[in-house]
Amino acid sequence: MWDDPECDRCDRSFGSQRALQQHIDDSSRHHICKICNYDADGRSDLLEHWRDVGCVKVCQGCLMGFLDWSWHCRVDHVCPTCHCHQENENNLAQHMLVHLPRDLECWGCYRMFSTLPGMIIHLESGSCLSNINKADLNESAAMLYQWNKIIQSQQWRDRLLSRDDLDSYDSPQPFRCPGCGATFRLLSGLFQHVGSPACDQELEKGAMKKLVRWLKNRYE
């Protein structure tokens, strides 16, 4: 007569192989790799197995294994470089900028930036050794031939050309995205918006491309 199947780890016997398998699947003392049926001694052992064998990809952010890594990154907003989890797609896009190489030299000094919006923020702050500041950028943007594509009205253009302090106005929104029409208080806000997944407009197309070229020619 055959002996009842046993679980050596838990020192228990079961009436059938099916009951034993159900126990293994449900017990917190068993950590099964569903790809190769490896029964790990614990969670850390299972993670080590996944890393060594490579049957699944281990996310260092949540310490879970995934067959479809790209799906996990997309659905759970995971950075594929450092595995940190973000709340939404926009937050993920902003985070991933930190992993970009700093290969863009400032138009006014020798500081390096990973993105054009980051460089514009630097210039607006007035901390650039070139002394380029927010008023300079606003005036230059208003001088663009296609200014009406990026500035809301002639009235706002006149204020920018006059180098007015926009903070003296109530909720100023002089800049406008040429793609979707969203408005912004700062030129850097427009650049950040266009450089994000929030809009189909691109920095290398249309009025934005002309604006970048115009500003670069004035300050570089």
Side-chain angles (χ1 to χ4, degrees):
M1 182 175 180
W2 295 102
D3 293 333
D4 290 337
E6 295 182 351
C7 173
D8 293 334
R9 179 173 299 167
C10 301
D11 194 22
R12 289 180 57 186
S13 60
F14 296 86
S16 66
Q17 188 65 40
R18 181 177 181 180
L20 171 60
Q21 187 61 53
Q22 188 66 49
H23 157 75
I24 292 174
D25 291 341
D26 297 341
S27 173
S28 60
R29 298 189 63 184
H30 292 269
H31 301 268
I32 308 298
C33 174
K34 295 184 178 180
I35 304 303
C36 52
N37 292 322
Y38 174 73
D39 188 357
D41 291 334
R43 181 69 182 172
S44 60
D45 184 36
L46 179 60
L47 292 173
E48 185 176 353
H49 162 76
W50 283 340
R51 295 188 184 105
D52 289 344
V53 177
C55 50
V56 297
K57 172 76 171 181
V58 175
C59 175
Q60 294 302 116
C62 61
L63 295 180
M64 296 290 290
F66 296 91
L67 275 174
D68 191 338
W69 174 244
S70 61
W71 174 89
H72 176 52
C73 291
R74 183 176 66 257
V75 173
D76 296 318
H77 313 299
V78 179
C79 173
T81 301
C82 68
H83 297 195
C84 76
H85 290 54
Q86 301 293 326
E87 292 184 359
N88 52 55
E89 182 181 0
N90 185 62
N91 286 359
L92 176 61
Q94 291 301 312
H95 160 78
M96 290 177 65
L97 296 178
V98 305
H99 298 300
L100 294 178
R102 293 178 177 268
D103 53 7
L104 178 62
E105 186 175 307
C106 175
W107 294 333
C109 67
Y110 294 106
R111 282 192 59 180
M112 302 299 291
F113 295 87
S114 58
T115 67
L116 184 57
M119 185 185 70
I120 296 298
I121 292 174
H122 160 69
L123 292 172
E124 282 183 339
S125 72
S127 62
C128 182
L129 294 176
S130 66
N131 293 320
I132 299 171
N133 58 33
K134 181 167 58 179
D136 295 322
L137 292 174
N138 289 348
E139 180 185 24
S140 295
M143 294 170 65
L144 183 70
Y145 176 71
Q146 291 187 330
W147 66 267
N148 59 329
K149 297 289 184 66
I150 62 164
I151 297 174
Q152 285 219 69
S153 65
Q154 179 67 56
Q155 185 179 34
W156 276 118
R157 185 195 185 209
D158 292 341
R159 290 169 177 169
L160 297 177
L161 289 172
S162 298
R163 302 174 63 88
D164 285 5
D165 180 6
L166 298 185
D167 292 335
S168 64
Y169 296 95
D170 184 27
S171 301
Q173 298 281 313
F175 297 104
R176 177 179 62 205
C177 173
C180 68
T183 59
F184 305 91
R185 182 174 69 89
L186 298 173
L187 186 63
S188 59
L190 171 60
F191 273 93
Q192 286 179 297
H193 166 78
V194 173
S196 77
C199 183
D200 291 335
Q201 176 65 47
E202 299 178 17
L203 288 172
E204 295 300 321
K205 289 185 178 180
M208 290 303 300
K209 180 178 181 179
K210 292 181 173 61
L211 175 62
V212 172
R213 184 185 302 160
W214 168 247
L215 294 175
K216 184 176 181 181
N217 287 340
R218 280 182 63 81
Y219 297 118
E220 193 174 43

